[in-house]
DNA sequence: TCTGCCAATGTAAACGTTTCAAGTCTTCAT
DNA sequence: ATGAAGACTTGAAACGTTTACATTGGCAGA
């Protein structure tokens, strides 16, 4: 088979110049109908396919956006990418996807690749939004970007998120309201998730407001299998807690499973709450009580916002979206543990 | 700030020609160490970043692969993409992601975009692998591609999958072995998933082998919320079934929830089995019994296989990976329903 | 018939790479 | 001194577009 036809081939076939062909493709109404038909026929005949890379090279804009998430294995990120992808598709943008596997070291490399691709802009979920070299680089190079799920302390970078601290605060208070006084947080590693830390802060503040001391904390690696062992002391030890606030729904679901493994019922013996609002949470038994964020919409909004930044229409700014507590059954009233 | 530095700028800065700069980038060892250092210094000084689009235009290979999945909202696809992305990353490939939202009509458009990007190859999960215009197009244009999760009947296209019919067969048999005689399948719409149909076939065959008549079938749209209503007749009607074989784990989890909504216990009143083996399945109560497939590995393998095809090293062929039944608790012995 | 204008089209120079053929210098044997 | 061999390096032509600018031709108005 001959090499792929180019615009030149189409032009020859249609007996026109390459400029006209280009015009038919890009500005169909600036060209007489006959000409357009002629060209389209030639394109179809030759099976022509514009080579986007030629265009990208010539144009300054590439109609491409880069996306960086920690992992697709956590539905919360997968869903957000789904939202991004949808919105990108609706606007003729191409999405290049990368993931950092929760490793801050890999973020820079991933972003570098994205920049080499000359993406018009980026949507990033970073391990840590503050003091992040990636953010510095992007600002220095003046590349539009939007942080997603990150809540940076500086207010001159665009970020779409819920109020992480507040989410944890609300979940924790829901437990306190049910009489729980001995609570622990099960959190993702702080180094690989500033959300985790922010949510811990909210947890602590709720305890403090209620005059409860010594907040417990267990940091776990996402995907690390044995929550069961890691929670043993907390659940069955001398100072066992009656409530577990988890920094993500995935952790919460794993925590519920761990409780069960230790012979504890949820919410009978232990109450468990999560944050994120992933859809499975609403389907399991007991239905997970969680601080729900509009994940997919957040992805869509991030892309919409990014488009604005690319066009220079909008200024970077943080958007804090509302969350709400789902009416889950995984949090119940405090009951003294039947000492079996 | 000045426009982005090009190779020419670097060359000027280093007092060398652009050809040498190119060689430093692409074949560092074919160049004296001093020269290399000189060039690298210039690159660093100027903050140079190769423009991949220039390269892509010139080279025939783009080091880019396109991925099409139905949706990222189903963890099974998200996980597979995670595998693809990992393997791509390890091999210096860029991933362009698109999703069809389960709509066969959108597949062609998505693939078209991917082809305009001159991807080196594609990994696709199609609604229907047989008689698919996308497959025809790709074969005609001679573009390497691997189907993932699809199990086409023709054997000259590369496909990585588990044995769908067999998976359903196994799950169904597990129920039959527990004494269930009245079973239904809850399946995704056949038009948007050939897996669904293949799994239904396996389901039917198991029933047939056991001499059971009239297999029930409910087709539902993924994401369609109210399984509860759709299963009412099946669960509470005159000829209520005692077992639900679901064509995906997501459906199974939703089905369990639906059972609960109808006041039925799983597996006490109804047994439920799934197919896919998504990770949450192992964490919920009751632990989901499922035909587990190595989703992430399948993604990795798909990319590895695709790389082979791109290099022309491998011939298209189908790879059927083994699945196994998880030791879930969602399938229990048949018991006559306590008529409350 | 000529002028001028407008619509339709064409010409050619980029965009930033890669790469082949063709340089330039050393070095060294004659 | 001369030439050959090698080690490095360079010039310049692609790759497939877009687009500013130039050209053409037809036609209205004089």
């Amino acid at each position: 088979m001959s090499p792929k036809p180019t615009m030149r081939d189409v032009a020859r076939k249609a007996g026109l110049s390459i400029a006209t062909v280009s015009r038919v493709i890009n500005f169909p109404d600036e060209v007489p109908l006959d000409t357009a038909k002629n060209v389209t026929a030639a394109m179809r005949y030759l099976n022509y396919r514009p080579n986007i890379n030629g265009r990208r090279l010539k144009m300054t804009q590439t109609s491409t956006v880069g996306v960086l998430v920690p992992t697709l294995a956590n539905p919360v990120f997968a869903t957000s990418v789904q939202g991004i992808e949808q919105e990108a598709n609706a606007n003729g943008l191409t999405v290049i996807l990368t993931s950092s596997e929760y490793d801050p070291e890999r973020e820079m490399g991933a972003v570098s690749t994205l920049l080499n691709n000359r993406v018009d802009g980026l949507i990033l979920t970073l391990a840590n939004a503050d003091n992040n070299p990636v953010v510095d680089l992007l600002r220095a190079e003046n590349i539009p970007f939007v942080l997603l799920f990150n809540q940076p302390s500086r207010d001159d970078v665009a970020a779409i998120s819920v109020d992480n601290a507040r989410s944890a605060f609300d979940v924790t208070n829901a437990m306190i309201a049910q009489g729980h006084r001995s609570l622990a947080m099960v959190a993702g590693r702080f180094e690989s998730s500033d959300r985790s830390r922010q949510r811990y802060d909210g947890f602590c503040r709720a305890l403090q407001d209620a005059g409860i001391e010594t907040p417990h904390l267990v940091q776990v690696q996402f995907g690390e299998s044995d929550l069961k062992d890691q929670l043993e002391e907390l659940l069955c030890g001398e100072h066992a807690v009656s409530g577990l606030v988890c920094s993500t729904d995935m952790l919460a679901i794993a925590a519920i499973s761990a409780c069960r493994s230790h012979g504890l019922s949820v919410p009978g013996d232990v109450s468990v709450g999560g944050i994120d609002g992933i859809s499975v949470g609403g389907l399991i038994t007991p239905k997970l009580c969680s601080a729900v964020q509009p994940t997919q919409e957040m992805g869509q909004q991030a892309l919409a916002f990014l488009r604005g930044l690319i066009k220079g229409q909008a200024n970077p700014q943080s958007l804090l979206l509302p969350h709400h507590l789902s009416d889950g059954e995984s949090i119940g009233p405090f009951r003294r543990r039947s000492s079996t």
Side-chain angles (χ1 to χ4, degrees), chain A:
Chain A
M1 208 163 78
S2 47
K4 284 211 180 302
T6 83
M7 263 183 54
R8 220 171 301 274
D9 300 320
V10 175
R12 190 172 314 126
K13 181 83 194 166
L16 286 167
S17 84
I18 159 181
T20 305
V21 175
S22 173
R23 262 187 296 254
V24 170
I25 294 179
N26 297 299
F27 314 96
D29 4 289
E30 293 182 13
V31 129
L33 200 61
D34 288 352
T35 315
K37 277 185 181 165
N38 181 4
V39 170
T40 341
M43 295 200 300
R44 216 178 299 284
Y45 179 82
L46 293 172
N47 246 303
Y48 169 73
R49 215 173 250 305
N51 184 331
I52 293 210
N53 295 314
R55 161 191 304 222
R56 284 209 248 266
L57 180 55
K58 181 65 191 180
M59 312 246 288
T60 31
Q61 299 238 339
T62 59
S63 295
T64 296
V65 301
V67 172
L68 173 66
V69 292
T71 177
L72 245 29
N74 187 333
V76 74
F77 300 123
T79 308
S80 77
V81 173
Q82 169 79 358
I84 293 171
E85 153 64 27
Q86 247 174 248
E87 191 75 9
N89 197 35
N91 289 284
L93 295 175
T94 293
V95 171
I96 300 186
L97 179 73
T98 54
S99 66
S100 66
E101 315 286 337
Y102 279 109
D103 180 357
E105 309 286 319
R106 295 177 72 159
E107 291 176 349
M108 183 56 96
V111 168
S112 226
T113 307
L114 260 16
L115 290 184
N116 288 354
N117 275 277
R118 294 296 191 274
V119 293
D120 290 339
L122 298 161
I123 297 178
L124 312 166
T125 299
L126 298 171
N128 211 306
D130 290 327
N131 285 59
N132 190 312
V134 168
V135 171
D136 295 342
L137 170 67
L138 259 20
R139 289 185 55 85
E141 302 227 359
N142 213 26
I143 313 270
F145 69 100
V146 174
L147 300 183
L148 187 53
F149 297 118
N150 289 117
Q151 219 182 326
S153 50
R154 59 196 292 180
D155 62 347
D156 56 349
V157 322
I160 295 195
S161 174
V162 293
D163 186 331
N164 283 301
R166 181 77 205 202
S167 299
F169 182 82
D170 290 351
V171 174
T172 311
N173 270 340
M175 293 209 186
I176 293 173
Q178 297 272 21
H180 295 276
R181 307 286 296 174
S182 177
L183 301 171
M185 167 158 261
V186 181
R189 293 217 176 288
F190 290 168
E191 317 89 81
S192 53
S193 168
D194 54 5
R195 279 91 61 213
S196 192
R197 166 163 276 296
Q198 288 158 352
R199 290 168 181 186
Y200 179 63
D201 289 345
F203 169 74
C204 291
R205 194 155 51 78
L207 293 192
Q208 198 176 315
D209 286 6
I212 302 176
E213 300 269 326
T214 57
H216 298 278
L217 171 68
V218 184
Q219 285 185 57
V220 302
Q221 189 89 18
F222 178 82
E224 200 169 289
S225 47
D226 266 358
L227 258 194
K228 182 185 172 192
D229 294 348
Q230 292 182 70
L231 297 186
E232 174 154 24
E233 180 63 25
L234 220 48
L235 292 173
C236 313
E238 200 172 352
H239 305 291
V241 301
S242 71
L244 253 30
V245 177
C246 303
S247 74
T248 71
D249 280 359
M250 284 304 281
L251 284 177
I253 293 175
I256 292 177
S257 169
C259 289
R260 225 178 357 124
S261 302
H262 287 296
L264 299 170
S265 90
V266 177
D269 297 316
V270 183
S271 285
V272 176
I275 300 174
D276 278 346
I278 64 180
S279 56
V280 276
L283 296 173
I284 64 175
T285 316
K287 193 170 165 204
L288 184 61
C289 181
S290 175
V292 179
Q293 52 190 130
T295 313
Q296 184 157 346
E297 287 75 12
M298 286 167 73
Q300 292 176 249
Q301 287 214 27
L303 190 76
F305 201 104
L306 181 62
R307 291 211 309 139
L309 287 181
I310 290 170
K311 288 195 208 135
Q313 285 175 350
N315 285 325
Q317 84 185 68
S318 279
L319 240 57
L320 273 197
L321 270 57
H323 64 271
H324 71 272
L325 229 54
S326 66
D327 57 341
E329 309 143 347
S330 63
I331 295 182
F334 170 69
R335 290 193 309 216
R336 189 162 302 281
R337 191 90 57 86
S338 50
S339 49
T340 315

